């Protein structure tokens, strides 16, 4: 595979890129509907542009596929970045503190490494294939018995 960078170092660098991108995640001044209950803001576009440039510097020649724009590349790729510049745009628009920035490096075997920056607050969660989240080699602990009640709501009301 063309990706020769040390994955631990690459994951650390990706964390830095996400923190820089997070500084651009401010209250939006322009909102546009993409589809029913699906929006894009000036913040989505600014973070997307920053990520495209920064990830291009991090791994030159690896295309960046984003939720906010059409793919520019044609033909097969050995690896590519998959980006959601603002994951939770509806919450950002509503002023709710539940959104983030999601980035993954994907190859033919699936996700190779990924990171999510929770905003506001900047909690960074990262993982790489074959290692526990955070880039360590220790296994993740899962509860023996899952919780019996889980509630999830998008909060979308028309």
């Amino acid at each position: 595979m063309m990706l020769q960078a040390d994955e631990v170092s690459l994951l650390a660098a990706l964390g830095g890129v996400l923190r820089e991108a997070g500084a651009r995640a401010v209250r939006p001044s322009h909102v546009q509907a993409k589809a029913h209950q699906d929006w894009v803001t000036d913040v989505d576009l600014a973070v997307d542009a920053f990520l495209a440039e920064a990830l291009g510097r991090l791994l030159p020649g690896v295309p960046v596929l984003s939720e906010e724009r059409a793919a520019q590349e044609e033909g097969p790729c050995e690896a590519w970045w998959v980006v959601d510049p603002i994951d939770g745009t509806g919450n950002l628009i509503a002023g709710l503190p539940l959104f983030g920035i999601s980035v993954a490096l994907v190859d033919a075997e699936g996700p190779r490494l990924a990171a999510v920056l929770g905003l506001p607050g900047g909690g960074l969660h990262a993982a790489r294939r074959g290692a526990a989240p955070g880039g360590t080699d220790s296994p993740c602990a899962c509860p023996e018995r899952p919780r019996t009640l889980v509630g999830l709501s998008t909060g979308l009301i028309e």
Side-chain angles (χ1 to χ4, degrees):
M1 155 156 257
M2 71 174 197
L3 181 61
Q4 299 299 320
D6 171 46
E7 287 182 348
V8 174
S9 298
L10 185 58
L11 201 55
L14 178 58
V17 167
L18 287 181
R19 290 194 190 286
E20 283 187 61
R24 291 162 170 75
V26 297
R27 184 97 174 138
S29 60
H30 179 73
V31 177
Q32 180 179 342
K34 293 192 300 186
H36 180 66
Q37 296 183 338
D38 191 14
W39 303 274
V40 65
T41 70
D42 54 329
V43 175
D44 291 89
L45 299 175
V47 171
D48 183 59
F50 171 79
L51 288 173
E53 181 182 330
L55 295 172
R57 285 192 314 266
L58 201 57
L59 284 177
V62 175
V64 179
L65 305 178
S66 170
E67 178 186 4
E68 304 307 341
R69 61 190 149 73
Q72 305 293 319
E73 293 72 22
E74 294 183 16
C77 303
E78 281 191 57
W80 56 95
W81 293 104
V82 178
V83 172
D84 188 347
I86 297 294
D87 193 357
T89 298
N91 287 343
L92 174 68
I93 293 167
L96 298 173
L98 300 167
F99 59 96
I101 300 171
S102 304
V103 176
L105 181 64
V106 179
D107 62 20
E109 296 176 36
R112 188 170 181 127
L113 53 88
V116 175
L117 180 69
L119 294 167
L124 182 66
H125 304 278
R128 60 186 172 88
R129 185 186 304 146
T136 67
D137 292 325
S138 58
C140 293
C142 296
E144 287 184 30
R145 187 167 178 240
R147 297 184 191 272
T148 56
L149 177 64
V150 176
L152 178 65
S153 172
T154 62
L156 297 174
I157 301 172
E158 283 193 52

